Every structure is written in structure tokens, then in C-alpha cells.
Amino acid sequence: MPAGSTGWGAVFGAEGVSMSLRIRTHVLTLLAFVWMACPPSAERSAPPAPEPERVPKVDVAALPVIEAQLGVPPYAAPALHRDHPARVVVKIEVRELVKEISDGVQYTFWTFGGTTPGPMIRVRRGDLVELHLMNHPDNAMPHNIDLHAVTGPGGGATSTFTAPGHQSQFTFQAINEGVFIYHCATAPVGMHIANGMYGLIVVEPEAGWRDVDREYYVVQGDFYTRGDFREPGHQPFDMQRAIDENPAYVLFNGREGSLVGDNALKAKVGETVRMFVGNGGPNLVSSFHVIGEIFDALYPEGGSPAHRDVQTTLIPAGGAMMAEFETQVPGTFILVDHSIFRAFNKGALGMLAVEGPDNRVIYSGKEVDEVYLAERSQRALEAMKGVAPEAKTLEARIARGKAVYQGTCSTCHQPDGRGLPNVFPPLAESDYLLANKERAIRIVISGLTGPVEVNGKAFNSAMPPLGNFTDHEIADVLTYVLNSFGNDGGSVGSDEVAAVRERLRKPDAVGHP
Amino acid sequence: MALVLALAGRVAGEVLQEGEAPPGGMLRVAGGEYVPFYPVRGEGNVSVAPFDLDATPVTNAAFLEFARAHPAWRRSRASPLFVDAAYLSHWVGDLDLGDAARGNQPVTFVSYFAAVAYCRSAGKRLPTEAEWEWAALATPEGGESPSEVTQRILAFYARPRGDLAAVGTTPANRWGIHDLHGLIWEWVEDFNASFASADNRQDRDLELGRFCGGASVGAEDVKDYAAFMRFGFRASLEARYALHHLGFRCARSLQ
């Protein structure tokens, strides 16, 4: 669907707003030359939209004073709907807090306002922004704030450099519209950012943007803990990992699972969603993508004009973007950094849960899936012939199963068998898995789509059929799982797998467990 | 400053061998040279003459005695020119530590001026930044490697400070000195000298290293994030500030 026509592109036209006067003069000269050489059609001769003043003029003394309404992630600050400039007062308190970065893993976050990202600031082009930075007395560190929306030295960093138990204030005019990162720039800058000190400041154009149904606020960041991904306990910052740009976590909104399950972003079919997405870094560039959605309009790097029909967009460290799309079908749409190992092995995964009626024309859904299952089972049966002999000992079978597991299953169920909270169910001490051996075999052969409850937690995702594996391989991998991750042991024989496969061949037996 | 200067009166340091203990809880630190964290063009290594340094930071109990003897430095009487509103705010009263502050904890919420006055009253002075950094470079005898120490310091810096431990509870370094890392920040005599501008609120100068250590090309060891944090912290201070985690210890020159 088309994006709003009141966006930046329409306001500024294609010439851009950042050219200096001198360069713009040259361009105009060139345009005049082209104009004479190639007379424009009647359609083209409409006068160009007037360019706004480079620096909006405001009567400083007459500005009304407004307390900013800040956005708490994952919700954007409310749209302004204001037709005049103002002096906007923004107050942010810096807190150093121990918080969970993943289940059972604590990390000392340095935060703007107690959250990572910090509050979303939203102002109107031309506004004077009066920024107050309070450094809580219990904090150990000095802090400051560098807002990329500032035109001035340090982006405000020097003016807001503040010892614990003190506060600073400075004022700037928001000259450029767009979506901008802010971050702490106190030495050592990388560590202050790595500990979660960033957020977004959004500068609306004077005319505002069109109203949409939902606005969300997401910021990606990379984290460098001493322990590996999900290693429990309090994990200190690891300097060497940060220098090596090898994060243990890549996260949306500062915590694994902050946007999944009950915390998923929500929308209804037919609604228009606007997302303000930033990347705090400190190191990695994001390949931001929403699985199953296409950005109808995307303002890359938060600037103008819009790009249309974008699948994946780069968000640089210290950059941001704004995206709009209309939802057409229900389902769970996964937000990922499409540098994809970060999504499944470092936590860069979120969800947008869309409710509403199906539209089978746009997306046919599960019908096709079932036909596909039968084909796979058929082909897998043929693939069974002439395979490697079955391993003799339990140890050998577990070793072979482990290889299969690591090559295929661990991508979702994770190397430790614990799955991903709210996304992929655990195999470790899984009541669902251990309750029914035949069901387990059937799921590996046929896959599993739809809601299940595992260890008291609801999951609703899709596992592809893996019937292409031989009976031996399926028996071995299940035997490995039964003897790993704290499970009680046991074994699955290839004859048992073959028997289940045979039953599945009968059409009336095909279906979900 | 007149008040501070009036409290002077320096005691001559005794001649001791390295490792011998001078009186007053001080220890002798041998002189030496080190590569500065922020090298200055045209100047070489930092040279430090032998000096005596308090083995531990000044405690609440010791500072209470000082306040008893010097009424001008009691919380209710100290001049706002020399202390900010947080001065000794963790005590219950002028001469009453209360329950929240214990006598054996390092005194914090003290301004630079108050720390200078305390040291002078004891015939000492604050250590210079060079002396403090030199003493703090020393690793425990036969203990961790320098990089292990750096990682330990970094882990300490990265955690919020809870209740302060008693002084002397962190491992002594090879000079026998405790708590240079792992307890509190400490005032040094020239805390604001690392950076060129005397007024760290200047906006338009281009001394980016002052606040932007991560991008600084001046630092000798760009991996020494622990040192970055110390210099960054010092740069955020003004002499009247009294902070939750900022205390001090005293030094003395040899005569």
C-alpha cells in the first residue's frame, strides 16, 4: 500500500535539504541548462514545492514551554499534532542498574531513564529542546549525552558531562527532521554504549506525519559479557570481546525475549504500523528485517525521502530508520537482524503478533503445508534404502546422534537443548518430549506446526518435517536427546522409527500429534 | 582558599628504606618512571620521586576527629565555596555518623577542598595524579598479571557500588598499599590537570580527549579502559563536589 503523502519525500522533493547554498546554486544552473535544452512537458511545469528555511526562525521569547511526553520502549512517544514551535523540556535521569539480560543472566546496565533503550524523545522541527540530564547520586560513573539531532560541538556531550549526584542542562534547536540516535559519550565511550546508554530522538517535520494505527520503538544493541550466551549469573563487561567485536548477545531493547511471547508487538489485520528502529551498536551494523512483511515505505537512516517496497534495511551503528507497513494477514511476524546467526544464537529476535481474519488470496496458509508433508514422507521412504549400517553401541549411536543434532536441530533448539524462550520449545527435561516416544518420532518425520505446551509454557511456531533423515539417523538423534541435557536416558531404535513411518504412510494417520 | 592555606604546616618526612613503614599509617613508595596514559608531545615518561602514601583511604572515624578539631569543616559550617550540598550528607549530624556510616568505612561525600584541609592538618598533602597512578600501577607481589588486574578493576568499575566495605579489605599491592582499586574513587591534588582547559564547561574548545576517550588518539594504551574511566571520572569533577563514592588518602614528600 502507498505510504503517507505527507512524509519527508513530499515535503522536500528530490533535491535534498542538506546542500550548501553554493552547491545548490550550481545545481540550479545545471537544471536551467537542462531546462532550456529539453523543454519540460506541461505536467512537469508545475512549480516545485518551496524549500523550507534551512534554519527555522522562531521567536525564542514567545515560545510556549512544554514538558516532553517521552516514549517508553517498545512504545513510541505520541505524535505531536502541534502547528507551532515550542520550548520542549526533556528530563532524563541516568541510572546504573543490575538487570536481567537473559533468563538467569544479570548484567550491569547503564541507562538513560532506567531502560535500554532510553526514553524516546519526540519534537517538532524548529523546536528548542531544553535537555536536563540528572546523574543519580548512587551511580559510580560520570555520564553525558550526545544527541545526533544536535547541531553543535559534541552533540551536547560537553555541555552535559555530569558527575554522579549532579545535573546539567543545555538547549538546542532541532534544525533537521528525522530519526536520530542519542548516546552517552563519556570516556570510555564504547563501554558506556555497550552498557546500554542509547535511545532515539525523533524530529517531526512541521506538518507532522500522517496518523497511523500503531507506533513502536525498537533499538538494537550488541553486548559483551564475560560469559557466553546465556551463561547464568552476573556477567561483567568483557573488554577484549568488545575490541574483537564478538558480542555474546545481539538484542532488541536490551534483553533477550523483550519482544517475544507476551511481550510481542501487537497489531490487527488492516492496520498501519510505523516502526522507529535504531541501532545503538556499539559495533555491529544491523540487517534489519521483518519476516513475512515488506516495508511499504522506509526512510533509510532516518532521513528523507522514502524508499518503497523494501525487504531488509541496513541500520548503521549510531543510526536509525523509520518504516511503515500495512498488515494484510494474521500471524506472527519475526523481527530479526538478518545477519541471521545473531537472531538464533545471540538473541536478535522479536515478534509482531497480528490478529484478524485470514486472507487466503494473499497467503494461503497451512493447506499447502499438509500436501508438502505427504510428499516429504514419500521421498524419505525411498531415501532409506542403502544407508550406512546402524551403529552398534549406545555410545556410538549417541555420538552419531549428536552430530545430527548439532548440524540441524541445535539451530532452533539450541546447543544446550534449552530452546528459545517463547519461540522454540526446550528438549532439555521436556515433559512434552518425554511423555510419548511415538509422538516424538512422528514430529521429527512430519514436523509440528501450531500451539503446544511444554513444561507449562505455551509455544506456537513451526518445525519443518525432517523425514529426509534415515530411520537410523532419526533413531540416533532421538537417542542422543534422551541421553543429554539432563534427560533420563533411554533409546529409540530404527525399527521403531520405521514402524511410525509406515503408519504415517496411511493417509488416515497423517496429521498432527 | 585563605582558609585552606591557613591550615598548612608540613612535617618533614623521615628517611626510610623502601618497604619500611613511616608513622601515621603511611608506607614508603619507591620512585620510578612510567609511560603516561596521556602523553604530552615533547615530554617523556612521567618521573615520580619517592614519597610516603597512606596505606588505606581516610575513614569516617578519622574525618570525624578532624571535624571535631576543625569546626569550620563541620557539615553545617563549611563554606559553600568549598563544599556542595552533598558534603558529609551520609552522616546524621555534624559530629554524628549515625547508623548508615561506619567508622571503618572510607569517608566519602567530601570535597577536594575538605580533603586538602584534612591532609594539611595532618602535615600531609593529597598525592599528585602521577604519584597516585604510579602507586596504583603496582600489582600484588607474585599475584595477578597486569592484564588480570586491569580486568578485575574493570569488573569493579562496571558494577554499581553497594554498601562500602571497610578500608583495608582489598588485597595490598607490592608497596603494601590497600584499596587503590576496588573500593572508592580518590581525589588527587591535580585532579583537573590532565586536560588542557581549566574550565571543563567550555563547549567550543576541541580538547575532545577530555570527554571522548574512546576516540582519543592521545592515550598510550587504548585498551586500558580502566584508566580511561579514572581520567574520565576526574574530568567530570569540580573541587566543591562531594560524591557518594569519592574519598581520598594523603601523601607526604620526603625531605
Side-chain angles (χ1 to χ4, degrees):
Chain A
M1 49 80 50
S5 58
T6 56
W8 300 323
V11 173
F12 286 141
E15 281 186 36
V17 293
S18 59
M19 295 174 189
S20 75
L21 189 60
R22 188 171 55 81
I23 294 173
R24 197 178 295 145
T25 306
H26 291 170
V27 171
L28 289 174
T29 307
L30 183 65
L31 283 176
F33 178 78
V34 172
W35 197 274
M36 286 185 290
C38 174
S41 70
E43 193 181 34
R44 278 178 179 170
S45 65
E51 271 212 10
E53 294 165 309
R54 184 76 289 264
V55 177
K57 290 190 178 62
V58 293
D59 181 353
V60 173
L63 289 180
V65 178
I66 295 175
E67 189 91 16
Q69 277 187 278
L70 303 174
V72 178
Y75 302 104
L80 299 175
H81 298 123
R82 177 152 50 78
D83 63 0
H84 58 274
R87 173 180 282 267
V88 182
V89 178
V90 178
K91 292 178 177 168
I92 300 179
E93 184 187 51
V94 177
R95 296 299 305 262
E96 298 167 5
L97 301 166
V98 175
K99 298 170 69 166
E100 283 209 323
I101 192 168
S102 178
D103 289 343
V105 187
Q106 288 83 35
Y107 187 71
T108 303
F109 286 84
W110 298 348
T111 69
F112 290 109
T115 56
T116 295
M120 180 178 138
I121 306 166
R122 192 161 182 164
V123 298
R124 182 177 180 272
R125 181 170 181 268
D127 282 351
L128 295 195
V129 184
E130 180 184 304
L131 197 133
H132 299 249
L133 191 74
M134 291 93 82
N135 193 352
H136 194 278
D138 288 346
N139 291 344
M141 296 293 154
H143 298 285
N144 62 14
I145 188 167
D146 168 354
L147 303 106
H148 290 184
V150 170
T151 303
T158 42
S159 303
T160 54
F161 189 37
T162 309
H166 288 77
Q167 56 181 320
S168 305
Q169 175 190 330
F170 87 111
T171 304
F172 68 95
Q173 185 176 23
I175 295 172
N176 296 74
E177 65 192 60
V179 183
F180 301 91
I181 278 278
Y182 65 78
H183 63 90
C184 185
T186 300
V189 180
M191 186 172 175
H192 282 255
I193 294 175
N195 286 344
M197 296 197 78
Y198 43 75
L200 290 183
I201 174 168
V202 172
V203 183
E204 288 188 4
E206 282 94 332
W209 292 305
R210 68 184 181 127
D211 284 329
V212 295
D213 300 295
R214 315 260 177 176
E215 290 190 324
Y216 288 116
Y217 170 38
V218 176
V219 183
Q220 179 173 326
D222 25 307
F223 291 86
Y224 301 85
T225 54
R226 169 55 63 83
D228 287 335
F229 184 62
R230 290 206 190 148
E231 196 170 310
H234 184 280
Q235 296 295 338
F237 169 74
D238 190 301
M239 175 175 55
Q240 194 57 50
R241 251 190 207 279
I243 292 167
D244 295 343
E245 305 193 8
N246 175 28
Y249 295 87
V250 181
L251 301 174
F252 296 130
N253 289 2
R255 192 198 191 284
E256 192 196 358
S258 66
L259 301 177
V260 304
D262 292 343
N263 302 322
L265 307 180
K266 291 174 182 63
K268 294 194 169 68
V269 167
E271 288 185 332
T272 299
V273 177
R274 177 180 287 139
M275 298 185 70
F276 300 96
V277 185
N279 183 8
N283 287 323
L284 300 188
V285 168
S286 175
S287 306
F288 188 77
H289 176 74
V290 179
I291 299 174
E293 266 299 348
I294 296 155
F295 302 128
D296 300 325
L298 179 105
Y299 299 82
E301 299 182 15
S304 57
H307 291 190
R308 307 283 163 190
D309 312 315
V310 176
Q311 56 188 314
T312 301
T313 187
L314 276 177
I315 310 178
M321 65 84 164
M322 181 173 101
E324 296 169 356
F325 54 90
E326 187 182 276
T327 59
Q328 308 291 353
V329 295
T332 301
F333 298 82
I334 311 288
L335 285 57
V336 294
D337 181 339
H338 215 296
S339 299
I340 205 70
F341 273 92
R342 299 173 189 170
F344 295 107
N345 300 85
K346 298 193 173 188
L349 190 146
M351 288 178 172
L352 171 69
V354 178
E355 288 184 350
D358 282 325
N359 183 332
R360 297 276 179 193
V361 176
I362 291 176
Y363 186 75
S364 67
K366 295 168 187 171
E367 250 178 10
V368 177
D369 197 24
E370 293 189 7
V371 174
Y372 185 63
L373 289 182
E375 281 181 0
R376 293 288 290 246
S377 298
Q378 194 67 36
R379 228 179 323 130
L381 263 182
E382 289 156 16
M384 271 181 64
K385 294 162 190 166
V387 296
E390 189 166 6
K392 292 281 190 294
T393 68
L394 182 65
E395 287 70 27
R397 296 188 52 220
I398 289 173
R400 279 181 22 164
K402 182 176 183 181
V404 173
Y405 184 87
Q406 289 175 332
T408 301
C409 319
S410 66
T411 308
C412 297
H413 292 291
Q414 302 296 302
D416 60 5
R418 288 169 58 198
L420 279 176
N422 301 312
V423 184
F424 301 124
L427 301 177
E429 299 168 359
S430 158
D431 56 1
Y432 186 88
L433 168 77
L434 301 174
N436 186 333
K437 191 196 277 189
E438 171 160 347
R439 180 172 65 183
I441 296 169
R442 212 160 59 215
I443 290 171
V444 177
I445 296 171
S446 307
L448 175 63
T449 300
V452 290
E453 185 174 313
V454 180
N455 293 347
K457 298 203 168 144
F459 294 85
N460 187 355
S461 46
M463 169 169 160
L466 298 165
N468 271 349
F469 283 106
T470 66
D471 291 350
H472 294 328
E473 286 169 325
I474 291 173
D476 289 348
V477 78
L478 283 168
T479 301
Y480 165 71
V481 168
L482 290 173
N483 288 279
S484 306
F485 318 135
N487 291 336
D488 289 340
S491 74
V492 173
S494 59
D495 53 335
E496 292 176 274
V497 178
V500 172
R501 213 191 278 270
E502 183 59 30
R503 281 197 285 282
L504 285 170
R505 289 187 66 192
K506 301 170 187 167
D508 59 345
V510 175
H512 299 302
Chain B
M1 286 303 282
L3 182 60
V4 177
L5 296 173
L7 294 168
R10 194 170 281 185
V11 173
E14 294 83 349
V15 179
L16 293 173
Q17 297 306 306
E18 180 185 326
E20 285 189 74
M26 302 190 95
L27 290 169
R28 177 68 36 93
V29 178
E33 273 193 4
Y34 69 95
V35 179
F37 188 64
Y38 280 103
V40 177
R41 189 183 296 275
E43 295 180 17
N45 289 349
V46 175
S47 180
V48 178
F51 65 104
D52 292 338
L53 188 64
D54 285 350
T56 57
V58 174
T59 61
N60 278 316
F63 204 83
L64 180 65
E65 288 313 304
F66 168 71
R68 218 185 285 285
H70 300 86
W73 286 104
R74 292 177 192 170
R75 189 173 73 185
S76 65
R77 302 205 205 166
S79 164
L81 290 174
F82 296 140
V83 299
D84 70 14
Y87 179 58
L88 297 178
S89 57
H90 61 316
W91 292 6
V92 169
D94 266 2
L95 298 172
D96 183 0
L97 300 186
D99 295 332
R102 294 190 300 278
N104 61 1
Q105 286 175 318
V107 66
T108 55
F109 288 114
V110 285
S111 71
Y112 172 80
F113 295 116
V116 167
Y118 175 97
C119 290
R120 293 203 171 175
S121 77
K124 306 177 186 176
R125 57 174 173 79
L126 285 177
T128 63
E129 184 175 86
E131 287 170 341
W132 196 100
E133 290 288 328
W134 169 243
L137 272 174
T139 53
E141 200 85 64
E144 304 155 291
S145 70
S147 66
E148 285 169 336
V149 171
T150 298
Q151 187 58 46
R152 178 166 60 80
I153 297 167
L154 206 60
F156 159 69
Y157 282 161
R159 298 187 81 138
R161 314 292 162 82
D163 193 30
L164 290 175
V167 300
T169 49
T170 66
N173 69 12
R174 61 174 286 223
W175 311 111
I177 293 168
H178 293 268
D179 306 333
L180 287 166
H181 305 294
L183 189 60
I184 51 168
W185 302 106
E186 297 185 18
W187 285 109
V188 293
E189 189 175 68
D190 47 349
F191 69 93
N192 56 0
S194 293
F195 306 112
S197 167
D199 179 359
N200 69 10
R201 293 163 300 180
Q202 284 287 335
D203 278 352
R204 287 185 177 76
D205 65 353
L206 292 174
E207 293 293 330
L208 293 179
R210 280 197 6 233
F211 68 96
C212 195
S216 169
V217 293
E220 184 63 24
D221 180 359
V222 293
K223 286 186 179 182
D224 192 348
Y225 275 51
F228 269 124
M229 296 170 88
R230 274 198 307 280
F231 283 78
F233 181 83
R234 286 176 194 141
S236 77
L237 298 175
E238 293 182 26
R240 2 181 346 261
Y241 283 10
L243 306 188
H244 194 169
H245 304 293
L246 176 59
F248 69 102
R249 74 179 73 215
C250 304
R252 186 164 52 199
S253 306
L254 309 187
Q255 296 293 310

